Amino acid sequence: MAENRGVVYVGAGKVEVQDIRYPDLVLQDGPGVNPLNVGRKCHHGVIVKVVTTNICGSDQHMVRGRTTAPSGLVLGHEITGEVVEVGRDVEFIQIGDLVSVPFNIACGRCRNCKQQDTHICQNVNPDRPGSAYGYVDMGGWVGGQSEYVMVPYADFQLLKFPDKDQAMDKILDLTMLSDIFPTGYHGAVSAGVKPGSTVYVAGAGPVGLAAAHSAQLLGASVVIVGDLIEERLAQARSFGCETINLREHTNLGEQMEQILGVPEVDCAIDAVGFEASGHGEGASEAPATVLNTIMGITRAGGKLGIPGLYVTGDPGGVDKDAKEGTLKIRFGLGFAKAHTFVTGQTPVMKYHRDLMMAILSGKAQIAKAVNATLISLNEAPAGYEAFDGGASKKFVIDPHGLVKA
């Protein structure tokens, strides 16, 4: 049987590349696997040889020790690869197909999946609706920062690229379809971005940059990105965004007025999540900062897209409430301004085909926007360390050395 290696969470602040089990079409017991999922037969699944797999900010939350992820968990939910084995119940996906794997695991059979709410599938995670590869409390499906991975419900989930050679030429863009590009786009759509909109994006990490680029694709007149790290803000400016350094400026409305002539925007996107920091030099962690800020600077009747991750359990939370995901949010302000809040994981399948076509046509330049940076599987631990340090890069792992420099 072929060998397999993957990126494994060892403990707070540490990942290692280790030998791991080669996948088969049964979900085996292992770190983080829900006991009710052990032994689950997946004849509707395929084995994928991973071509690219990306390091995500959501992975970083676990690696920092800010979740209840167990040691030994194989990481990675952003997966693109070539099908090398198909289950007996697979009809339409074939060996050799180059595919994008949505990070949401979805059965295609339940009520939510039939409504395109594939981010809250009812049949893949015994704990609660919604699942993902290599992620804590998501059912235990093995992660894809590896050489090979099993993907269930292949006919329903997989996005096949129409031409393999063309796809490989644009693989650094197409690899973003598994999560980050649909997530940023969902944030912009949820915020109601339309032609002429003024938009504020909180956070210039990869999701924030993807959201900013998505807002531009949707026709926004001005996109403003706020962050504490100047390197990330420079990346946002590289594709036409206005920026605000939140370490230097604490009055966001004042900065908005200098840019727009008014102290508010039409809509806002939270691309930070529960590890948010206060604003200003020396500010400490304050998990409700972004949510309260965007309510303050979004016009009455505006929408707030919230793709930033919030959790129900945070061992490193700043207080007892934060440890269970209870935040001090000014909900009365949101009510008074008649804001619409849209939260939750992104239903990738709602967007990924359209975004694929935008990439293949040259309309979308997502790899450039997020500064896609190719690394080997062995370099993954260093990639995690650099990303944690604030590097303005989206690290793309190439486990088999298949991507051209």
Side-chain angles (χ1 to χ4, degrees):
M1 184 62 70
E3 296 179 349
N4 195 18
R5 295 189 306 148
V7 180
V8 176
Y9 171 65
V10 178
K14 188 174 182 182
V15 299
E16 293 179 353
V17 178
Q18 298 181 0
D19 291 332
I20 61 174
R21 179 189 292 128
Y22 186 86
D24 56 25
L25 298 177
V26 177
L27 184 53
Q28 306 286 356
D29 196 8
V33 180
N34 189 296
L36 296 176
N37 261 351
V38 173
R40 186 166 179 164
K41 295 179 173 58
C42 298
H43 300 301
H44 42 65
V46 299
I47 307 300
V48 169
K49 180 179 181 179
V50 178
V51 173
T52 54
T53 176
N54 316 325
I55 296 176
C56 180
S58 298
D59 299 320
Q60 198 73 61
H61 293 307
M62 289 187 291
V63 172
R64 291 189 185 117
R66 296 299 296 269
T67 72
T68 55
S71 177
L73 186 73
V74 181
L75 299 170
H77 56 269
E78 301 190 14
I79 307 163
T80 305
E82 180 182 2
V83 176
V84 294
E85 180 183 339
V86 299
R88 72 184 185 201
D89 296 335
V90 176
E91 289 189 73
F92 306 113
I93 295 295
Q94 299 177 346
I95 291 174
D97 286 347
L98 189 61
V99 296
S100 177
V101 182
F103 82 88
N104 321 114
I105 302 172
C107 71
R109 298 153 167 82
C110 70
R111 175 182 178 179
N112 289 342
C113 283
K114 289 178 180 179
Q115 295 177 169
Q116 284 195 305
D117 292 327
T118 53
H119 57 309
I120 44 175
C121 174
Q122 296 168 301
N123 290 329
V124 290
N125 182 1
D127 287 332
R128 58 177 178 262
S131 190
Y133 303 88
Y135 211 84
V136 60
D137 296 333
M138 288 290 187
W141 301 88
V142 179
Q145 285 175 15
S146 56
E147 294 173 329
Y148 298 90
V149 67
M150 188 266 282
V151 176
Y153 305 105
D155 281 328
F156 176 64
Q157 295 194 102
L158 293 180
L159 176 65
K160 176 184 173 181
F161 300 137
D163 182 279
K164 289 178 71 172
D165 291 336
Q166 180 192 28
M168 288 303 295
D169 286 341
K170 290 182 175 286
I171 196 66
L172 289 183
D173 291 285
L174 294 171
T175 190
M176 306 303 168
L177 291 173
S178 58
D179 178 358
I180 181 177
F181 197 8
T183 292
Y185 192 81
H186 179 62
V189 169
S190 299
V193 179
K194 60 184 180 180
S197 294
T198 57
V199 185
Y200 176 67
V201 179
V207 170
L209 296 172
H213 184 48
S214 297
Q216 292 174 333
L217 290 173
L218 289 166
S221 59
V222 181
V223 180
I224 304 170
V225 180
D227 200 279
L228 298 163
I229 300 175
E230 181 56 35
E231 180 184 349
R232 291 185 168 188
L233 293 172
Q235 181 62 27
R237 290 193 294 272
S238 76
F239 60 95
C241 298
E242 300 285 344
T243 61
I244 299 173
N245 189 320
L246 300 172
R247 198 173 299 282
E248 299 173 358
H249 303 286
T250 58
N251 189 326
L252 199 54
E254 184 178 275
Q255 297 302 307
M256 294 279 179
E257 190 160 22
Q258 290 186 19
I259 296 169
L260 301 172
V262 292
E264 61 183 12
V265 289
D266 295 323
C267 41
I269 303 166
D270 172 2
V272 177
F274 74 103
E275 285 194 73
S277 170
H279 300 164
E281 190 66 43
S284 58
E285 185 172 317
T289 296
V290 172
L291 294 173
N292 288 327
T293 297
I294 61 177
M295 282 189 281
I297 53 90
T298 301
R299 70 173 182 86
K303 295 182 178 180
L304 312 178
I306 309 172
L309 178 67
Y310 290 87
V311 295
T312 57
D314 173 12
V318 294
D319 54 34
K320 181 180 178 181
D321 285 342
K323 291 182 191 305
E324 60 180 25
T326 300
L327 308 182
K328 295 180 179 179
I329 298 169
R330 294 188 64 196
F331 193 75
L333 176 61
F335 181 90
K337 297 180 77 172
H339 283 156
T340 298
F341 299 75
V342 181
T343 67
Q345 289 185 33
T346 298
V348 169
M349 293 177 65
K350 188 176 291 187
Y351 308 110
H352 65 175
R353 184 172 296 278
D354 290 343
L355 294 177
M356 175 185 73
M357 297 308 297
I359 289 169
L360 294 178
S361 69
K363 180 69 173 177
Q365 304 285 336
I366 187 64
K368 179 181 177 182
V370 302
N371 194 17
T373 302
L374 198 68
I375 61 175
S376 70
L377 187 63
N378 287 335
E379 293 172 311
Y384 269 96
E385 184 176 358
F387 189 33
D388 189 48
S392 185
K393 297 177 180 180
K394 176 67 171 176
F395 288 105
V396 179
I397 300 170
D398 176 10
H400 297 277
L402 297 174
V403 180
K404 297 177 183 178

